[in-house]
Amino acid sequence: MRKVTGAAGRGLPLRGNDIDTDRIMPARFLRAITFDGLEQHLFEDDRKTTQHPFDDSRYRGASVLVVNSNFGCGSSREHAPQGLQRWGITAVVGESFAEIFFGNSLMIGLPCVTA
């Protein structure tokens, strides 16, 4: 794990409470032996059916994900924070986080800040 001394960057807003890990990283992509390439599948189901901030050109290059409450709830998969980090997210700022998501994120050096 790398030591995190700070995070800065453009924000990418993702509205909605209780966004669970199955929405962040659909379960069918958990079969991989490594985490390589997971970023391709972030919010894949949501992105097929709605205009999604991850596809919005205004947020291209954003590295700070801004979320609402209880982000990362649901199952304890570490694939969700791995995919976010591999996509280029360097920090997540939110109202609150699911405890396991928060812990999994910190273990890989992806700080989650409650604000």
Side-chain angles (χ1 to χ4, degrees):
M1 181 175 82
R2 66 180 175 86
K3 181 178 179 179
V4 177
T5 58
R10 292 183 48 225
L12 189 162
L14 182 63
R15 291 185 168 88
N17 297 321
D18 307 313
I19 295 178
D20 65 45
T21 54
D22 196 45
R23 286 182 60 197
I24 300 168
M25 183 61 60
R28 65 187 175 278
F29 301 112
L30 307 182
R31 298 182 205 143
I33 297 171
T34 70
F35 296 117
D36 295 337
L38 282 180
E39 67 278 4
Q40 300 170 55
H41 305 294
L42 278 174
F43 300 100
E44 185 162 309
D45 296 336
D46 289 357
R47 291 166 81 177
K48 287 179 182 176
T49 60
T50 63
Q51 288 284 328
H52 199 275
F54 273 70
D55 297 322
D56 190 327
S57 63
R58 293 178 297 174
Y59 306 119
R60 189 167 294 127
S63 59
V64 178
L65 184 61
V66 181
V67 298
N68 292 118
S69 66
N70 200 29
F71 185 77
C73 59
S75 65
S76 62
R77 65 186 64 151
E78 60 187 311
H79 296 70
Q82 284 280 352
L84 289 169
Q85 189 177 58
R86 289 164 189 275
W87 191 83
I89 298 298
T90 59
V92 186
V93 177
E95 294 175 34
S96 64
F97 299 91
E99 188 174 339
I100 294 174
F101 176 87
F102 187 90
N104 285 338
S105 296
L106 293 182
M107 291 299 292
I108 64 168
L110 178 64
C112 295
V113 178
T114 302

